[in-house]
Amino acid sequence: MITVTSVEAQNRFGRLLDTVQREPVTITRRGRTAAFIVSPQDMQDLQDARRQRGTAVRAFETYFAKIDATLTPAARELTDADVARLVKAAR
């Protein structure tokens, strides 16, 4: 990934459009990252990954709710500290 300043990006925009077909470009302003330019394919890959992550999160939440419904009353009363203590004791 190459990095250019915002001034360089303005002056070389056409060349940057060609560059992003090969690799993403980071644009900085005052030494800090201000933006990224990526190819349409890279953007599609990022959007696909975001959708897949969302699907995985929803599947996990559904599974967790299903398992949560099967907990005994005693298990429901356990705190995070209780669980950590039990795990350490089991090791």
Side-chain angles (χ1 to χ4, degrees), residues 32-75:
R32 302 175 82 180
T33 300
F36 295 98
I37 302 176
V38 296
S39 70
Q41 182 59 50
D42 287 346
M43 189 64 198
Q44 185 64 50
D45 292 346
L46 289 168
Q47 289 173 331
D48 290 346
R50 181 181 241 176
R51 273 191 293 281
Q52 289 173 353
R53 183 189 70 202
T55 299
V57 167
R58 283 188 299 279
F60 176 77
E61 288 172 343
T62 299
Y63 174 76
F64 190 75
K66 183 177 169 183
I67 295 304
D68 211 26
T70 67
L71 292 176
T72 64

Side-chain angles (χ1 to χ4, degrees), residues 78-91:
L78 290 173
T79 65
D80 288 344
D82 294 333
V83 173
R85 183 179 42 76
L86 290 168
V87 168
K88 284 182 184 179
R91 291 184 179 163

